[in-house]
Amino acid sequence: MNKAISIKELSHSFGKKTVLSGISFEVEKGEVFGLLGPSGAGKTTLINILTGQLRATGGCTLILGTASQDMTGEHYKQIGIMMDHFGLYERMSCYDNLRFYQMLDGNGKDGIEEMLRGVGLSEAKKTPVMNLSKGMTNRLAFARAILRSPKILFLDEPTSGLDPTTVEAIHKMILEEKQKGTTIFLTTHNMHEAEKLCDNIALLNEGKIVEYGAPADICRRYYHQKRIQLHLKSGEDIVLSYDADSGKKIKEYLEMGELETIHSTEPNLETIFMELTGRRLEKE
C-alpha cells in the first residue's frame, strides 16, 4: 500500500457551522502534500482530525492504513506534529524539551545534541523556551516533531510570521525530511512555499476542495489567465490577452515606435484561487 493518507467524503461541523464538507483525496508515501487556503478555510480542523485530536462528523480517514479514530499509542509514534507551539514547555530549556519527549518514547539520550545542531539551536540548548524568538521556537517545534523519525510529518503553517532567513532554514529541513522518505502534510496560505516544496496540493475554500494536482499542472490548466503587459513611451500601461489579435496590436505599436517595454504574466496559485473563489489565498 503506497498511500500514507486516505480521505474519503470527510465532513466536520461545529454546531450548525460546517467547516469541512465532503472532501476526498490521497497522499502518497514520501511526498510533500500541501493544503492551501486562507484563514478559516478548515486547514487546521483537518489536521486535528487526521492526528486524532478531533473526531469527524462524517466520512473516513486512514493514516498508514489505520482509521484515525482507531489509532493507538504505537500508531502515534509514527507521526510528528508541528502546529503553533504545540507540545513545548515554556519554562523548560530546548534540550530538556527534546529529552522529555524522547523519554516518553522510551528512547535513550542519543541524538539530542545532533538534533539541536541540525536546527541551529546548539548555543541555545540551555535557554528556556519562553526566552526564545519566534523563529527559534519554530525551529525547536520542528525538531520536536521529527525527533522520533516519523513516517508522517504534519506541519500547520510552519513559517507563518517568520523572517526570510528562518523561512529558508525551515524549508531546507522540510526537504531534508522528504529525502529521508518522510511523508509531509503541510498547510499554508503561502503560494510560493507550496510551489517550492509540494509535489501535490489541494486548494481549500470554505471547507471544500476546489482544485487539486501538482502546482505546475494546475497552473497549466489555467493558461487562459496569461497576459501581455505593455508600457508605452507615453507612460500608458496596457494589458492584452495572449492571442493573435494582441500580436497585431503589438506590431502596430512597434511600427509607430510607441512601445517601450513588454513582458508576459503567467497564472499562479493566487490568481487561480481568485478565479475559483473570488478570494485571496495569501494574507493581505
Side-chain angles (χ1 to χ4, degrees):
M1 180 178 179
N2 291 321
K3 310 300 181 186
I5 301 171
S6 296
I7 298 173
K8 186 174 181 180
E9 295 297 320
L10 183 67
S11 298
H12 190 73
S13 300
F14 293 105
K16 295 182 179 180
K17 180 177 175 58
T18 299
V19 181
L20 298 172
S21 181
I23 65 174
S24 301
F25 60 86
E26 294 180 320
V27 180
E28 300 285 336
K29 290 180 179 178
E31 81 166 294
V32 179
F33 176 84
L35 185 66
L36 277 73
S39 298
K43 303 187 303 294
T44 300
T45 298
L46 179 55
I47 278 194
N48 286 339
I49 291 170
L50 292 175
T51 56
Q53 300 175 70
L54 274 179
R55 184 179 290 269
T57 52
C60 175
T61 61
L62 298 177
I63 308 296
L64 297 171
T66 300
S68 57
Q69 67 268 20
D70 295 332
M71 291 174 65
T72 65
E74 290 303 311
H75 292 109
Y76 283 117
K77 287 184 179 181
Q78 300 181 78
I79 67 174
I81 307 171
M82 177 186 174
M83 47 197 312
D84 294 327
H85 296 164
F86 180 82
L88 294 180
Y89 294 90
E90 292 194 346
R91 295 183 181 276
M92 292 171 62
S93 69
C94 295
Y95 182 95
D96 288 341
N97 262 277
L98 297 187
R99 174 62 183 141
F100 174 74
Y101 281 99
Q102 197 176 57
M103 291 173 62
L104 287 182
D105 284 343
N107 298 325
K109 295 182 180 180
D110 295 340
I112 296 181
E113 296 279 0
E114 182 180 353
M115 180 69 68
L116 289 170
R117 187 161 49 250
V119 297
L121 292 176
S122 289
E123 295 183 2
K125 71 177 185 178
K126 295 182 179 180
T127 303
V129 170
M130 61 191 298
N131 294 334
L132 299 177
S133 68
K134 180 175 175 57
M136 295 169 75
T137 302
N138 275 42
R139 280 183 276 147
L140 181 63
F142 189 91
R144 190 202 64 78
I146 65 174
L147 185 63
R148 56 176 50 153
S149 299
K151 292 183 179 179
I152 302 179
L153 183 59
F154 291 96
L155 305 175
D156 190 18
E157 301 276 5
T159 61
S160 179
L162 300 183
D163 64 89
T165 300
T166 304
V167 169
E168 188 63 30
I170 290 180
H171 284 177
K172 181 175 181 290
M173 290 186 287
I174 290 172
L175 292 175
E176 287 173 350
E177 286 303 302
K178 178 186 177 180
Q179 290 176 353
K180 297 175 184 177
T182 307
T183 303
I184 299 168
F185 189 104
L186 168 73
T187 73
T188 182
H189 62 265
N190 187 323
M191 67 172 182
H192 301 294
E193 183 167 77
E195 289 170 346
K196 176 180 179 180
L197 299 176
C198 298
D199 299 297
N200 288 294
I201 65 166
L203 297 179
L204 184 68
N205 182 58
E206 296 181 348
K208 296 180 180 180
I209 301 294
V210 295
E211 188 58 276
Y212 170 88
D217 291 342
I218 292 176
C219 290
R220 279 192 288 270
R221 291 202 285 270
Y222 291 82
Y223 192 72
H224 61 270
Q225 288 188 358
K226 186 168 183 177
R227 296 290 183 267
I228 301 172
Q229 295 186 338
L230 310 180
H231 181 72
L232 305 184
K233 292 180 179 178
S234 65
E236 183 181 3
D237 291 312
I238 298 175
V239 179
L240 302 174
S241 57
Y242 196 80
D243 56 30
D245 288 339
S246 295
K248 295 176 183 178
K249 292 180 180 179
I250 293 170
K251 182 174 180 292
E252 292 174 1
Y253 286 124
L254 285 169
E255 290 175 342
M256 292 185 292
E258 295 182 3
L259 184 60
E260 187 167 276
T261 63
I262 179 172
H263 70 272
S264 64
T265 60
E266 307 292 332
N268 57 46
L269 297 177
E270 178 71 50
T271 60
I272 291 168
F273 193 81
M274 280 286 293
E275 177 178 325
L276 291 170
T277 69
R279 303 174 62 191
R280 288 183 59 85
L281 177 62
E282 296 193 348
K283 294 179 180 178
E284 297 182 359

